[in-house]
Amino acid sequence: MRTMKIGKSGIEASVVGIGAWAIGGDAMWGQSDDAESIRTIHRARELGVTLLDTAPAYGLGHSEEVVGKALAGRRGDYVLSTKCGLRWDIEEGGFMMARDGVRIVRNTRPERLAEEVEMSLRRLQTDYIDIYIVHWQELPEFPCPIADTMEYLLKLKEQGKIRAIGASNLSNEQFMEYVAAGQLDLIQEKFSMLDRGVGDRLFDLCDQHGVTFQAYSPLERGILSGKIKDASQVHMGMARSRVKWFLPENLPKIAALSEKWAPLCKKYGCTMTQLVIGWTAAQGNGSNVNVLCGARKLDQIEDNAKGGDVVPDAADIASMRRDAEEIA
């Protein structure tokens, strides 16, 4: 597994990370088997995957609890990231969504982050978080200046509770506010070859300011694995129900990509999943994109991890981009 630097933090992590969103087992993805999730996290490390990403909102704390159990006695083997800024246990905040019987709000005010970081540390059974990411940015009806949020995160860094600061789901303007207020080491954004808009507008900024771009949902919630022939056979959940590629009329387009890329899979000795991961890691300046892939089963992590070793040549990267543009 190739490794890479995370921003200017001095942290080195695997190019491919394991995402623990589905491990939360909530309405977004459906019920999970915690024992299988833990085995998957352990298997990830055996395959060279060191970066492990979770969040309090995944399963309303459950994903962090499972990750904490998995890391017991193994904490030093992983680069652990979790998030802040989404709460379901308070009323104060900008309304984001109703899910699993609760009202989830955005609140990045320092006094609330002070509560949240302690709860995450307890659930994760650790005394430090490697990368602490602001999950979603403020809403107009409940503003909090990014400078105030960053000031508190920098204090957490001074205290040794976190090692690096990240932000997710942000605009170009918000990106610039973060870097103006302190050292931002990573941004986490939805990016895939079928949904490239965010990356195409943020890659240059990341390069200019030494910030790692971490792509989440690079496989479009699994549809780009080439394994899903009939969406009715998979658990859609809220996460997949929002992805248009699972619609019956779009499945043949994905199947056509799979067929077209079969020679490339043969050329690189890989699966379609691994080819897509390799393509994603090659975006930006070619060395600054981290690829975050969800996994809660052994076969998923074994497929994903090998994508970190696939390095398509420039001509194939360009041809895959053209192929994706034709259907996107």
Side-chain angles (χ1 to χ4, degrees):
M1 171 67 67
R2 291 176 293 148
T3 61
M4 62 185 295
K5 302 289 186 183
I6 302 299
K8 301 173 184 175
S9 67
I11 296 171
E12 189 157 328
S14 53
V15 168
V16 174
I18 176 173
W21 185 8
I23 284 172
D26 55 32
M28 298 301 290
W29 287 98
Q31 189 173 3
S32 286
D33 180 332
D34 292 349
E36 178 75 358
S37 295
I38 290 171
R39 286 193 292 270
T40 301
I41 291 170
H42 292 167
R43 181 62 177 144
R45 187 62 187 85
E46 292 172 356
L47 294 167
V49 176
T50 60
L51 193 146
L52 171 56
D53 176 85
T54 184
Y58 301 162
L60 307 180
H62 187 66
S63 177
E64 284 191 329
E65 290 171 350
V66 174
V67 168
K69 292 175 183 176
L71 267 57
R74 306 170 186 241
R75 176 66 184 88
D77 293 338
Y78 295 83
V79 174
L80 174 63
S81 68
T82 194
K83 306 180 185 71
C84 60
L86 294 187
R87 299 287 292 270
W88 63 92
D89 57 331
I90 59 174
E91 293 295 322
E92 179 189 57
F95 176 72
M96 183 173 179
M97 68 164 67
R99 171 169 63 77
D100 296 295
V102 299
R103 180 177 177 272
I104 299 176
V105 298
R106 300 187 197 180
N107 189 323
T108 59
R109 293 183 176 177
E111 61 270 25
R112 292 307 191 182
L113 297 187
E115 301 166 347
E116 195 171 3
V117 70
E118 297 301 330
M119 289 188 285
S120 285
L121 289 170
R122 284 196 297 271
R123 286 190 291 257
L124 292 165
Q125 301 182 42
T126 186
D127 58 0
Y128 73 99
I129 294 159
D130 293 296
I131 310 168
Y132 203 40
I133 302 169
V134 180
H135 203 159
W136 284 87
Q137 307 309 308
E138 64 181 31
L139 290 168
E141 62 267 30
F142 193 84
C144 175
I146 285 172
D148 291 355
T149 301
M150 276 294 277
E151 182 180 11
Y152 181 70
L153 294 176
L154 290 167
K155 288 180 181 178
L156 289 180
K157 196 172 174 181
E158 290 173 3
Q159 294 167 6
K161 292 183 178 180
I162 68 175
R163 297 177 62 202
I165 297 169
S168 185
N169 305 301
L170 68 168
S171 67
N172 291 39
E173 293 72 23
Q174 290 166 333
F175 179 101
M176 293 307 300
E177 287 184 56
Y178 273 104
V179 298
Q183 183 176 316
L184 181 70
D185 285 303
L186 177 144
I187 62 169
Q188 187 184 105
E189 300 288 336
K190 185 180 184 302
F191 175 83
S192 77
M193 60 173 56
L194 298 176
D195 184 10
R196 299 194 326 267
V198 173
D200 288 349
R201 69 175 170 81
L202 285 171
F203 283 149
D204 285 347
L205 283 177
C206 286
D207 200 22
Q208 292 167 20
H209 295 278
V211 177
T212 294
F213 183 99
Q214 187 175 63
Y216 74 81
S217 296
L219 296 168
E220 283 293 340
R221 316 283 159 89
I223 199 69
L224 281 173
S225 68
K227 300 172 184 176
I228 298 173
K229 310 299 181 184
D230 183 350
S232 67
Q233 297 175 348
V234 301
H235 186 280
M236 290 298 288
M238 292 175 67
R240 281 176 167 158
S241 66
R242 301 173 180 180
V243 178
K244 67 180 181 180
W245 303 108
F246 284 89
L247 295 173
E249 61 267 29
N250 286 329
L251 289 174
K253 298 176 183 179
I254 302 299
L257 277 183
S258 183
E259 183 176 352
K260 193 166 188 178
W261 292 342
L264 291 178
C265 291
K266 184 176 181 180
K267 175 180 177 178
Y268 294 106
C270 66
T271 65
M272 181 168 167
T273 292
Q274 294 157 12
L275 182 68
V276 171
I277 291 171
W279 181 92
T280 307
Q283 300 308 298
N285 66 15
S287 63
N288 199 32
V289 175
N290 187 270
V291 188
L292 188 62
C293 302
R296 55 179 169 174
K297 297 180 180 178
L298 290 173
D299 64 320
Q300 293 169 340
I301 192 58
E302 288 173 351
D303 197 8
N304 295 347
K306 294 176 184 177
D309 295 324
V310 177
V311 184
D313 61 38
D316 291 334
I317 290 170
S319 70
M320 289 175 68
R321 176 178 281 247
R322 289 193 298 270
D323 294 340
E325 286 174 348
E326 285 181 8
I327 71 166

